[in-house]
Amino acid sequence: MFMEQVSNGLALGSIYALTAIGFTMVYGIISLINFAHGDIYMMGAFFALTGFAVFKLPLFIAFLFGMAGAALVGLMLARFAYRPVFNAPRINLFLCAIGAAIFLENFAMLVWGPETQSFPQVINNQVYRAFGFTLSTLQLIILGTGIVLMAVLTYIVQYTKLGRAMRCTAQDMNAAKLMGINTNRIVYFTFALGSALGAAAGILVGMYYKAVFPMMGFVPGLKAFVAAVIGGIGSIPGAMLGGIIMGLAESLGAAYISSGYRDAIAFIILIFILLVKPAGLFGKSVREKV
Amino acid sequence: MKKLSYLLILLLILSLVAGCGGSGGQSGDKPSEIYLASANPMTGDSAQFGDMKVKAIQLALDEVNAAGGINGAQVKLLVGDDTGNPKEAPNVAQKFAADDRVLAVIGHWNSSCTLAARGIYEAAGIPVITDSVNKAITDGSTPHVYRISLTDTAQAQHLAKYAYEKMGKRRVAILYTANDFGNGLMNDFSKAFNELGGKVVATETYFEGQSKDFSPQITKIKAKNPDLLFIAGYYVETALIAQQSRSLGLNVPMLGTEGISSEELIKLGGQAVEGILFTGFFHPEVKFPGTEEFVKAFKEKYNKEPDTYAALAYDSAKLILEAISKNGATREGIKKYLDEVKDFPGVAGPISFDDKNDVTRGIIILTVKNGKIVPAEVQP
C-alpha cells in the first residue's frame, strides 16, 4: 500500500507543481502574491472543456485553446486589474488579486453555470503496475506534461533574450528599465506564461477527475501558494519540489494519519517551513535594505 | 442554467418588491393570493436538487391555479436560495419568517441547512415540510417541522439490512462526507451492520465540494479487502469515487443513499457507476395513485424525468394545498392538518406523520443499468 500511496502522491504533487510554477513566476517578477492564479487555472479548464465539447476541437488543440484562453485572461487581469495600481503600495495590488479571484469565480458561474460539469472521457485510462507502483495513463500524462512544460520554461528563462530580460526585471525593475528593457512587456509576458501553465494544470486536473466547476481553483490556488513557499517563493525548481512534497505529504497523511486532515496537513507543513527555514528550501534569504 | 439564474434573480427582486407593498392588502376574509415559500440550494453543488424541487412545486401550484385556485385565490411561490450552505440558510429563513404572507415553507434540502434554519421557522410558527434526512431535525424541539423523507437512521438501517441479508455482504468499507448527513449515516449504518453480524473494516472521510482526489482513501480501503463499499455522500463525489475506485482497482459493489439519486450521477460517473445500488423513495416505474399523471405532466412541462426530490416536493406542495383548502389559509390550519393527516395519497406513496413528525414509509432500492436509473432486481 505504501508504494501505491506514493504514486498517488506523485500524481497529485505534479499537479500542485504545475500550478505553483506559474504562481512563483509572477511573484518572482513583480512580487505579487497572485491569488487569482487558482481561478485562472479554473478558467483554463473551462476553456478547454468548451473547446472540446462545444467546438469539437481535437484534444490536443482544445488543450492549447484552454492555455491560450487562460493566457488571455491573465493578460487582461494584468492590464486592467494590476497595471493601474502597479506603483501603489503592495497591499493594493494584493487586494486587487483577491477581487480578481472573486470576479473570475462569479464570471464562470454566470457563463458556464454553477454545477459540476463532467469532462468527457478522452483518454483510455489504462493502469500500469511495476515494483508496487500503480500509475495510470493520465497520471503519466500529468507527470510528463509537467516535466516538458518545466523544461520549456527553464529554456526560456535561462537561454533566451526574453528570459534574460525577465531575470533582469525580477532583480531590479528600475535598473532594467534604464538599460532599455521594456518592463511592461516583460510583466505581461510573465503573466501570460504563468497563466498558461496554470491553465495546463487546470485542464489536466479536469481530465484526471473528469469534473470541472467554478470553485475548483480556490483550494488548489492556496495549495500552490503553500507549495511555492515551501520551495522558496520565486524559485522555479523550488516550486516544483514544493508541489511534489505537498502531494506526497497529503497522500501519505491521508493514508496514515486521517483522511479528514489532508487539507490541514498542507498548512501544517507551511507553518513548519516558515518556522524552520522561512526562505523556503531553495530560497535565498535576502536581508531587507534599511 | 444562465436563464435559470436570471429567473431566480428576477424572482428574488420581485419577492422583495412584493414584500414591501403587499403586507397591508390582506384585510379581507378572502385573500386574492396565497403564498408558499421554498428554500433550496438553487446555486452551488446541490443546485440540481433545488432546481428539480422548485419545478415540481410550481407544477403542483399550476395545477391548482388552473383549476381556479383555492376558494378563488391564486397560489404563488416564493423561492429562496440557501446555496446549500448552512451559513446562508438562516438568512433565507429570516426573510421568510419576516414575511407575513408566507403560510408554509417547503425546504431546505441539505440537512445542515435545515438544522441551521429550523429554529427561525419554529419561532415564527411557520409549518415546514423538509426532505432533509438527518435525524436531529425531528428531535421534538421543533413541532412545526415535518419530514417527508426517511431519516438517515431509518435509511441506514434499511440499507445495512439489505446489504447483509439480500446481498450477502459481510465486510463493508464506508466512505462518508464530513457533515451532519454523512456522519449520521456512517454511525447508524455501522451500528446496524455490526448488530446483524457483519464487520465494518474501514471508515474514511472527505469534504463535500472540496475533495476531488480520493485516491489515498480508496487505496487504504482496498488494502482492507472489503466486499462492499458504502458511500455516504452526494452525486458529484460519488461519481468521482466510483471512477477512481475503478482506475485504482477497487472492484467491489457500491451502495449509496438517496443523496445520489440523480441523472447527474450518470452524466458525471459514466461507466463507473453502472450497477451501483442506492435507496429511493420514488421511481416512475413504482406506481401509486397519481404517479403516472405526475410523471407525464412533469415531462410535458419541463422535458425531464422527475427525480425523487421532485416527487417529494410535489407531494409536499399537494399536502399544503390540501391543508389550505380544508382548514383555511392560516399557518395554524396547515399545522393542524399535517398533524392529523392519515395516508394522504402521494405520488411517492401514502403519507402519514408519526408523533415526532416523521413520515412513515418504506424504501425501494434503485440501480443504474445501461445508463438509466431503474428499480433493482432484488427489493428489500
Side-chain angles (χ1 to χ4, degrees), chain B residues 22-23 25-35 68-76 100-101 103 324 328-330:
Chain B
S23 40
Q26 284 187 16
S27 46
D29 302 345
K30 277 190 182 175
S32 59
E33 280 174 346
I34 291 173
Y35 283 92
I70 299 174
N71 298 330
Q74 292 283 302
V75 190
K76 298 248 161 89
D100 287 337
R101 300 168 306 155
L103 293 178
I324 295 172
T330 59

Side-chain angles (χ1 to χ4, degrees), chain B residues 61-220:
Chain B
L61 298 194
D62 286 352
E63 282 169 10
V64 167
N65 287 339
I70 299 174
N71 298 330
Q74 292 283 302
V75 190
K76 298 248 161 89
L77 181 67
L78 305 174
V79 178
D81 180 10
D82 64 22
T83 68
N85 186 338
K87 289 199 283 284
E88 208 55 52
N91 300 338
V92 176
Q94 211 84 57
K95 208 187 93 199
F96 287 148
D99 190 338
D100 287 337
R101 300 168 306 155
V102 174
L103 293 178
V105 175
I106 298 171
H108 294 298
W109 183 78
N110 309 69
S111 291
S112 312
C113 287
T114 311
L115 283 169
R118 64 181 182 140
I120 297 167
Y121 295 122
E122 187 60 40
I126 304 179
V128 177
I129 301 185
T130 175
D131 46 13
S132 305
V133 295
N134 189 282
K135 57 178 174 284
I137 290 167
T138 48
D139 57 3
S141 66
T142 50
H144 282 83
V145 180
Y146 297 80
R147 185 208 312 276
I148 196 157
S149 58
L150 282 180
T151 61
D152 42 12
T153 307
Q155 228 189 114
Q157 284 163 350
H158 279 298
L159 276 174
K161 214 166 151 214
Y162 183 80
Y164 190 85
E165 287 171 2
K166 302 283 174 174
M167 297 174 76
K169 301 298 179 195
R170 296 294 179 267
R171 296 170 59 80
V172 61
I174 304 177
L175 193 50
Y176 65 101
T177 172
N179 63 17
D180 295 331
F181 172 69
N183 253 319
L185 276 169
M186 189 271 289
N187 286 326
D188 296 325
F189 186 94
S190 305
K191 194 159 164 268
F193 199 71
N194 283 331
E195 273 168 12
L196 286 166
K199 193 169 175 229
V200 177
V201 293
T203 52
E204 294 293 323
T205 187
Y206 65 86
F207 293 101
E208 158 90 5
Q210 283 179 27
S211 316
K212 293 294 145 179
D213 176 53
F214 301 93
S215 40
Q217 287 100 319
I218 292 168
T219 307
K220 213 168 146 186

Side-chain angles (χ1 to χ4, degrees), chain A residues 9 13 16 230-231 238 240-251 269 273 281:
Chain A
Y16 288 153
I230 290 174
M240 191 166 182
L241 185 73
I244 300 279
I245 291 177
M246 289 259 307
L248 282 175
E250 258 191 43
S251 283
I269 299 178
I273 288 280
L281 296 176

Side-chain angles (χ1 to χ4, degrees), chain B residues 292-311:
Chain B
E292 246 168 307
E293 290 83 350
F294 163 66
V295 174
K296 193 162 157 273
F298 195 92
K299 261 197 204 154
E300 259 168 29
K301 187 156 187 206
Y302 302 114
N303 203 13
K304 256 187 195 175
E305 286 261 344
D307 64 2
T308 303
Y309 290 100

Side-chain angles (χ1 to χ4, degrees), chain B residues 7-38:
Chain B
L7 198 72
L8 279 173
I9 292 166
L10 201 69
L11 267 174
L12 278 175
I13 292 169
L14 279 181
S15 62
L16 277 178
V17 171
C20 300
S23 40
Q26 284 187 16
S27 46
D29 302 345
K30 277 190 182 175
S32 59
E33 280 174 346
I34 291 173
Y35 283 92
L36 302 184
S38 170

